[in-house]
Amino acid sequence: MTNEVTADAEEKGETVKADPAQTHVDTQWQTPSPLVSCRFDPTGKYVVVGGEDYTLQRWDLTSGTAISFKGPHDSWVRSLGFSPDGQTLYSGGYDGRLVWWPASAETPEPIRTVQAHDGWLRSLSVSPDGSQIASCGNDRLVKLWNAADGSLIRELVGHEHYVYSTLFHPNGEILLSGDLKGVVKQWNIADGSCARDIAATPLYSQNSGQGVDYGGVRALSISPDGKYLAAGGLHKATNPLGAVNEPLVLLVDWEKGEVVHNHVTEGVNGMSWRLIHHPDGYLISGTGGGGGGWIMYFNADQDREFFRFQMPNTVRDMDLHPDGIRIATAHYDRHIRISRMISKPA
Amino acid sequence: MLCNYSCGSNEHVMARRQFLSQMMAGTAALGGLSLFSQPGATAQLNSDQKRIVVFNMHGGLSQLESWDPKPGTNTGGPFRAIPTSVPGVHICELLPMTAQQMHHLSIVRSVNTAENDHGKGAYMMLTGRRQTPASNFPVLGAVAAKALTPSDSPLPGHIVIGGGNGNSAYLGPKYSSVSLNGNPPPNIERLSSVELQADLARQEMRRKLNERFRSQRRSALTDAYTYSFEQAQQLMERKDIFDVSKEPASEHERYGTHDFGKHCLLARRLLENGISFVQVSHSNYDTHNENFDFHLEQLGEVDRSFSTFVADLANRGMLESTLIVMLSEFGRTPNINVHYGRDHWGTAWSVLLGGCGIQQGAVIGKTNDNGTAVVDRQVDHGHLFHTYLKAVGLNSSGSFDIGGREVPLADPAYSPIEELLV
């Protein structure tokens, strides 16, 4: 992936570099139901979204036309992933199912369905070489699947609470998973052993007045240089049942396993739903909640964001296009929005 | 919005002195109060003590995530419906163990209280009346304590576990709730500084002095004091029934070791020992945010404990004499809001009943396809309150005699849901 692209190549042929300060909504499409997830495909041709109506839609970024994926899910699809070549789409649902799809087929039919988890499948991640899929869920398990045939390779047991997020390290040897109580586990993929726990406990809170546990590691990202792990979620949860909380991203020194920065977004009510490190090194956080939808940009050397961009509606998921310029955001108001980190066309 | 609006406090924990004062006040109040206008009612109750247990899901349990799921609709949310032990009846997948007990239970899916305020909704559901500035009505627990508790019982008849308290209004403080939190009640033990023999001698002296006084100046007030001391003494002798830690570890394991599990086990223990009314509160369902995650968390606790409770009552032959009710102040909106939450909704929601006097495996009423309206057999708090009373053998059209004034047990404008009753 490169951040140097030919922006509006079809029109201008100019090479441009992503500039977060220029972020603007370029395109939006309305979908049949409130959205809960979104991902760009690695070829950069499509964005796929999951909605509260249990279906998936594939939007062609050029033509703006959509095709629905209807099939085995009978719950919300909250997690999506692609094989590195973009040929296979993986969807994970709150029905516990993991489904293989032909990503670019004209009339997509499921290739394979696995009952992956007992209860919600909350997150999935595809290994850098595409050979394995990791999934995690409310059964407190992390599972590794053979992408080629859907067989279970290994169960990773150790989380004591719901597992909210999982992510392959870019080196392909390590898997990360984060749970409700703010524990991030580092797993060795080769043998399934847990190398260490990384404390992200500020992302969890227990409200005794309301009698609820709240928070969790909602998002994970590794910096391009491998020096940092980012874990996202929320803090300052003074009223969990009323959505009164603020986003928090913990930046962890990878070697030491210690938090070096608390990326806070003061004055914004909500949580970080997705984290992605841009190839240029900064961190992008898709944030949504009572304070609306925001894209926040953080550098590794400071707590506060260096730029924030407000979206027209709350953000529930986010992805970065392979061009490093476009950002997709999934919204409650039934829209998928494509933003660009370059100046608006004149 | 302050979500822990009605969690109440546990400051009203069971205490010997508190109980003593309630007894005195209550007994004094009895001077001008008779139980029923119908002469046969008291005899009817003494023949076979009935009991009521209410599970009060504070904040507003979502009917869509419990008793009236609508999967696959625009309001259904992410959870699926599962079959139950009653053919054709489905409930939310969050309650798989309860689903296996549904043949003991019934669902009213057509409740429309038209009230979205926490306090007002709770008042309506627990008193069977709409709150007005000019009136104050006793909660179901107070009515049950007065109507169902044998007159010679040393035990309080109205117990609330896990938060909240119950107003007895004109029935007097004797029938107000006594609150427990699952731990042994404080101050119920004889003071360690008082030796047993000294305590017995002190009681004997009090008894003799009292007898001498009563023989010359007996009055309602002296009787009340005598009654109160004797009841308190008996209560101290039976203090173990309030101590759930006396239950075997295996029972705690079956019910779950969290607070709700402990509270359900305590409820069983109290009912087995003759307490007329027990309310178990569970908090918090006021899920304007992340409704699905929080119902997953809360009902994950409820399912195991509640299903074990129902099964135990059935296996121990107690269901025939114990009415089970699971209610809230209202349900939650079919619409899923921007925070993955559901808001207050009194328009179309559900109440669960079972046990004494209730049909088994019935479903009363119906909502439309996406749960936004009642389409069959609409009922509200008034109908339900009548139903609770009639289910335990009371004449819900009867009245209390309050100082010569007849006060109806339940709102006369309503009647029981007859098709739900055995």
Side-chain angles (χ1 to χ4, degrees):
Chain A
M1 181 164 65
T2 175
N3 64 309
E4 296 273 337
V5 299
T6 303
D8 302 323
E10 61 276 21
E11 296 180 10
K12 299 178 181 177
E14 299 173 0
T15 300
V16 296
K17 181 179 173 68
D19 177 2
Q22 300 299 323
T23 304
H24 65 278
V25 176
D26 181 70
T27 306
Q28 63 178 29
W29 296 300
Q30 186 162 1
T31 64
S33 76
L35 297 179
V36 298
S37 57
C38 67
R39 286 294 181 277
F40 285 114
D41 87 295
T43 70
K45 188 177 180 184
Y46 306 113
V47 63
V48 175
V49 300
E52 288 185 7
D53 61 358
Y54 305 178
T55 67
L56 302 175
Q57 285 189 326
R58 185 187 70 209
W59 288 84
D60 187 307
L61 295 172
T62 304
S63 67
T65 57
I67 289 177
S68 288
F69 290 48
K70 294 178 181 175
H73 285 297
D74 58 7
S75 187
W76 296 356
V77 176
R78 286 280 283 124
S79 48
L80 298 164
F82 284 91
S83 60
D85 62 7
Q87 292 302 302
T88 308
L89 166 69
Y90 308 106
S91 60
Y94 279 176
D95 50 15
R97 293 174 187 149
L98 178 60
V99 181
W100 281 243
W101 303 87
S104 57
E106 282 301 310
T107 53
E109 296 288 336
I111 300 167
R112 180 182 300 110
T113 299
V114 171
Q115 189 62 44
H117 290 270
D118 182 11
W120 290 3
L121 192 166
R122 285 184 179 263
S123 176
L124 68 82
S125 180
V126 181
S127 64
D129 67 1
S131 66
Q132 297 184 29
I133 306 159
S135 64
C136 62
N138 286 350
D139 55 8
R140 306 178 184 188
L141 296 173
V142 181
K143 296 187 179 182
L144 285 169
W145 305 92
N146 186 323
D149 61 11
S151 60
L152 178 65
I153 298 170
R154 185 169 285 117
E155 280 188 2
L156 307 177
V157 182
H159 281 288
E160 296 179 358
H161 303 280
Y162 300 154
V163 192
Y164 276 56
S165 51
T166 189
L167 178 73
F168 276 97
H169 190 285
N171 68 13
E173 298 173 356
I174 291 170
L175 183 71
L176 299 163
S177 57
D179 67 23
L180 169 63
K181 294 291 180 76
V183 174
V184 177
K185 287 189 174 292
Q186 178 182 323
W187 307 93
N188 294 317
I189 292 171
D191 61 6
S193 62
C194 181
R196 61 172 170 168
D197 285 355
I198 299 170
T201 47
L203 298 175
Y204 163 76
S205 64
Q206 204 279 334
N207 187 304
S208 58
Q210 296 184 339
V212 295
D213 295 304
Y214 188 43
V217 181
R218 307 291 181 120
L220 292 166
S221 181
I222 297 284
S223 63
D225 59 10
K227 290 182 177 177
Y228 300 106
L229 163 70
L234 61 92
H235 71 149
K236 296 184 180 179
T238 55
N239 184 351
L241 298 177
V244 180
N245 44 258
E246 294 183 10
L248 175 65
V249 178
L250 303 174
L251 194 69
V252 177
D253 181 297
W254 178 256
E255 289 298 324
K256 297 177 180 176
E258 297 172 354
V259 175
V260 292
H261 281 291
N262 292 314
H263 288 320
V264 295
T265 49
E266 292 180 3
V268 172
N269 190 339
M271 76 171 79
S272 174
W273 289 103
R274 183 91 201 281
L275 293 171
I276 302 171
H277 275 92
H278 192 275
D280 287 348
Y282 53 83
L283 180 65
I284 309 172
S285 171
T287 297
W294 296 83
I295 299 174
M296 300 286 180
Y297 299 91
F298 299 96
N299 277 322
D301 59 355
Q302 56 189 0
D303 283 351
R304 297 287 301 274
E305 79 276 9
F306 69 86
F307 186 72
R308 63 170 69 178
F309 177 74
Q310 184 163 22
M311 303 297 295
N313 187 251
T314 193
V315 170
R316 288 177 157 184
D317 200 5
M318 179 191 77
D319 201 20
L320 180 65
H321 191 274
D323 65 14
I325 299 292
R326 282 175 280 186
I327 293 174
T329 44
H331 297 268
Y332 172 73
D333 68 358
R334 304 175 182 229
H335 283 85
I336 177 71
R337 292 187 170 88
I338 310 297
S339 301
R340 285 176 178 253
M341 294 185 283
I342 55 174
S343 59
K344 290 181 182 179
Chain B
M1 182 208 67
L2 187 63
C3 290
N4 49 356
Y5 67 95
S6 66
C7 296
S9 79
N10 289 328
E11 63 189 359
H12 303 293
V13 292
M14 179 63 186
R16 179 167 51 89
R17 288 188 176 85
Q18 176 203 4
F19 182 74
L20 191 73
S21 64
Q22 285 188 356
M23 284 294 181
M24 284 194 290
T27 308
L30 278 172
L33 191 66
S34 64
L35 268 176
F36 300 100
S37 57
Q38 287 75 18
T42 305
Q44 167 197 349
L45 294 173
N46 288 340
S47 65
D48 179 16
Q49 187 196 354
K50 302 293 194 301
R51 289 152 292 197
I52 301 175
V53 57
V54 169
F55 293 87
N56 187 359
M57 317 304 266
H58 275 292
L61 170 67
S62 170
Q63 70 282 0
L64 295 149
E65 276 67 61
S66 56
W67 315 121
D68 195 11
K70 304 288 184 182
T73 70
N74 63 336
T75 61
F79 295 118
R80 294 169 289 184
I82 56 171
T84 69
S85 57
V86 179
V89 175
H90 289 67
I91 63 174
C92 180
E93 66 174 323
L94 293 177
L95 297 160
M97 299 173 77
T98 302
Q100 296 309 308
Q101 301 299 325
M102 281 307 296
H103 55 288
H104 296 305
L105 303 166
S106 287
I107 304 170
V108 179
R109 283 180 171 159
S110 51
V111 181
N112 180 0
T113 47
E115 180 56 66
N116 292 338
D117 178 83
H118 283 295
K120 291 176 182 174
Y123 185 92
M124 290 163 65
M125 290 304 295
L126 292 173
T127 66
R129 325 258 184 152
R130 190 168 278 280
Q131 196 169 17
T132 67
S135 59
N136 187 22
F137 293 99
V139 296
L140 178 63
V143 173
K146 184 168 178 58
L148 301 180
T149 305
S151 58
D152 57 351
S153 173
L155 302 171
H158 178 190
I159 287 182
V160 171
I161 305 170
N165 51 67
N167 170 35
S168 59
Y170 45 71
L171 297 181
K174 179 178 179 180
Y175 302 107
S176 293
S177 62
V178 171
S179 296
L180 300 176
N181 61 11
N183 296 318
N187 305 324
I188 202 166
E189 297 279 0
R190 173 170 45 81
L191 287 175
S192 58
S193 58
V194 180
E195 297 290 338
L196 175 60
Q197 290 305 317
D199 189 46
L200 292 173
R202 191 170 63 173
Q203 292 298 335
E204 185 58 24
M205 175 178 283
R206 184 194 60 77
R207 192 171 289 117
K208 284 180 178 176
L209 289 172
N210 193 46
E211 285 301 317
R212 182 186 294 174
F213 188 84
R214 287 179 72 210
S215 66
Q216 298 171 359
R217 301 181 187 180
R218 183 172 184 177
S219 68
L221 194 58
T222 58
D223 280 352
Y225 273 102
T226 302
Y227 173 78
S228 301
F229 274 102
E230 289 174 356
Q231 297 258 310
Q233 199 67 28
Q234 292 178 58
L235 178 69
M236 290 173 67
E237 290 169 4
R238 301 192 63 187
K239 61 183 181 298
D240 280 359
I241 73 165
F242 301 100
D243 187 355
V244 74
S245 69
K246 302 292 184 188
E247 293 286 342
S250 57
E251 292 297 276
H252 284 275
E253 187 62 30
R254 288 177 64 233
Y255 276 78
T257 53
H258 44 70
D259 282 350
F260 187 70
K262 190 161 68 171
H263 294 169
C264 288
L265 182 55
L266 177 58
R268 191 194 74 183
R269 185 176 177 86
L270 294 170
L271 294 166
E272 283 179 322
N273 282 279
I275 301 292
S276 302
F277 181 92
V278 179
Q279 178 176 305
V280 180
S281 297
H282 195 230
S283 184
N284 193 312
Y285 294 88
D286 195 18
T287 50
H288 298 277
N289 177 47
E290 301 218 329
N291 171 78
F292 309 103
D293 279 282
F294 287 128
H295 272 75
L296 187 67
E297 178 181 344
Q298 306 288 26
L299 291 179
E301 287 188 355
V302 166
D303 187 40
R304 178 178 176 188
S305 308
F306 178 69
S307 62
T308 303
F309 176 88
V310 173
D312 277 3
L313 260 57
N315 293 336
R316 294 171 185 225
M318 294 172 64
L319 263 187
E320 291 75 14
S321 59
T322 308
L323 171 67
I324 299 171
V325 180
M326 183 178 284
L327 53 73
S328 289
E329 58 264 50
F330 40 59
R332 304 212 75 81
T333 50
N335 180 60
I336 299 165
N337 69 25
V338 68
H339 306 300
Y340 293 113
R342 296 191 193 270
D343 303 311
H344 301 177
W345 183 251
T347 304
W349 56 289
S350 303
V351 168
L352 185 77
L353 298 94
C356 182
I358 299 295
Q359 296 278 1
Q360 296 182 325
V363 174
I364 305 296
K366 186 179 178 183
T367 53
N368 62 6
D369 287 346
N370 61 0
T372 57
V374 172
V375 295
D376 179 45
R377 190 52 169 118
Q378 180 168 294
V379 299
D380 69 12
H381 55 290
H383 301 102
L384 288 163
F385 201 81
H386 273 272
T387 305
Y388 306 150
L389 299 182
K390 188 164 183 181
V392 293
L394 299 173
N395 178 1
S396 66
S397 300
S399 298
F400 289 113
D401 181 351
I402 309 298
R405 183 170 61 97
E406 285 195 355
V407 180
L409 269 71
D411 190 334
Y414 294 91
S415 59
I417 306 168
E418 294 290 352
E419 66 270 35
L420 181 58
L421 296 164
V422 174

